[in-house]
Amino acid sequence: EIPVLFKRELQNEEVKEGKQVKLTCELSKPGTPVKWMKGDTVLYASEKYEFKQRGTVAELIIRDVKSIDS
């Protein structure tokens, strides 16, 4: 089986505190499960974090951004 690779990796984003930011990556294989992490901590969908995935594109939306989210 061919390994799943990043076609487009995450890019750094700047946003003002209190706003929201969308982080996007693209994978080489559609429908591949994505686990979003901050350091060693797995992120779960909540009021703060929203996950979207369409085909090969995965998105993480972080709401009400704080400096601790960097």
Side-chain angles (χ1 to χ4, degrees), residues 20-63:
Q20 78 174 27
V21 65
K22 179 168 58 174
L23 303 175
T24 305
C25 66
E26 186 173 358
L27 307 168
S28 60
K29 184 177 176 183
T32 302
V34 173
K35 183 190 304 182
W36 290 95
M37 301 180 72
K38 181 178 185 248
D40 294 331
T41 304
V42 177
L43 303 178
Y44 295 98
S46 64
E47 286 186 17
K48 178 138 184 108
Y49 302 114
E50 180 182 351
F51 310 114
K52 293 183 179 180
Q53 192 164 358
R54 289 181 303 281
T56 59
V57 177
E59 297 176 341
L60 164 63
I61 298 167
I62 305 173
R63 294 186 186 88

Side-chain angles (χ1 to χ4, degrees), residues 3-25:
V4 177
L5 303 172
F6 284 106
K7 288 175 69 177
R8 186 177 70 215
E9 296 193 16
L10 288 176
Q11 301 295 312
N12 288 330
E13 298 285 341
E14 289 188 25
V15 64
K16 293 182 188 262
E17 283 197 33
K19 300 292 184 181
Q20 78 174 27
V21 65
K22 179 168 58 174
L23 303 175
T24 305
C25 66

